[in-house]
Amino acid sequence: MSPNDLLAGGYRMGRQMVHMMAGDLTAAEFTRQPVAGANSAAWIVGHLAVTARRTAERLGATELPLLTEEFIGKYSVTRKPADDQSELDDPTKLLRLLDVCVDQLLGALGALPPESLVSPPANPGPFATNYGEAVLFGAMHFAMHCGQLSTIRRSLGKPPLM
């Protein structure tokens, strides 16, 4: 198993967990915020789609869905409490977008020469010391948001899934 295979596995499992956590939510549950200022499942799924698309683009994917600046802004981090999210996009649209973006990311990751993973990261941050770690952080990002989706499920009275 190559490093690329391991990284791809992280994204595949992350996507599967998102579907487990959000796939059965109604449209109303999908946009419900568990507490004022917290993000809804809709925002989380849209955000993960946007970040997966960015990663796929950095990895060289070329058949990416076009996203407007308005869409990207709606699902990007603001570092402030979330506003009302009751008018965000529907579950089917956002989950389908997530799937397309992750599929493109997986394809690009499969074509990436493994030796490029030791290069400096495209966007240096506080965690990644090389390109491979930066890609790994994206898969960990999915897991972090799945914890939030679990809290949303519990706030709706749904049982835990894991």
Side-chain angles (χ1 to χ4, degrees), residues 20-97:
M20 284 175 52
M21 297 289 178
D24 66 341
L25 300 179
T26 67
E29 291 171 337
F30 199 65
T31 59
R32 184 179 173 278
Q33 293 167 268
V35 297
N39 287 311
S40 64
W43 185 88
I44 292 167
V45 174
H47 172 67
L48 289 172
V50 166
T51 60
R53 187 194 180 287
R54 283 184 186 136
T55 301
E57 186 173 31
R58 286 185 189 120
L59 292 173
T62 57
E63 306 223 1
L64 295 164
L66 296 175
L67 301 179
T68 65
E69 288 301 316
E70 177 186 3
F71 185 92
I72 292 168
K74 189 170 28 172
Y75 295 103
S76 293
V77 173
T78 63
R79 305 226 186 275
K80 61 181 184 177
D83 293 329
D84 175 68
Q85 296 181 342
S86 61
E87 299 299 320
L88 292 179
D89 298 286
D90 71 83
T92 303
K93 175 184 175 183
L94 289 173
L95 287 166
R96 187 171 42 244
L97 177 63

Side-chain angles (χ1 to χ4, degrees), residues 1-18 55 59 102-103 105-110 117 132 135-143 146 162:
M1 178 173 281
S2 73
N4 299 52
D5 294 332
L6 289 170
L7 292 169
Y11 282 94
R12 277 193 305 275
M13 288 184 277
R15 175 176 54 184
Q16 184 177 356
M17 287 192 312
V18 169
T55 301
L59 292 173
V102 171
D103 284 343
L105 189 160
L106 295 174
L109 189 54
L117 296 173
V135 176
L136 174 61
F137 180 78
M140 294 170 59
H141 182 230
F142 270 70
C146 282
M162 300 177 114

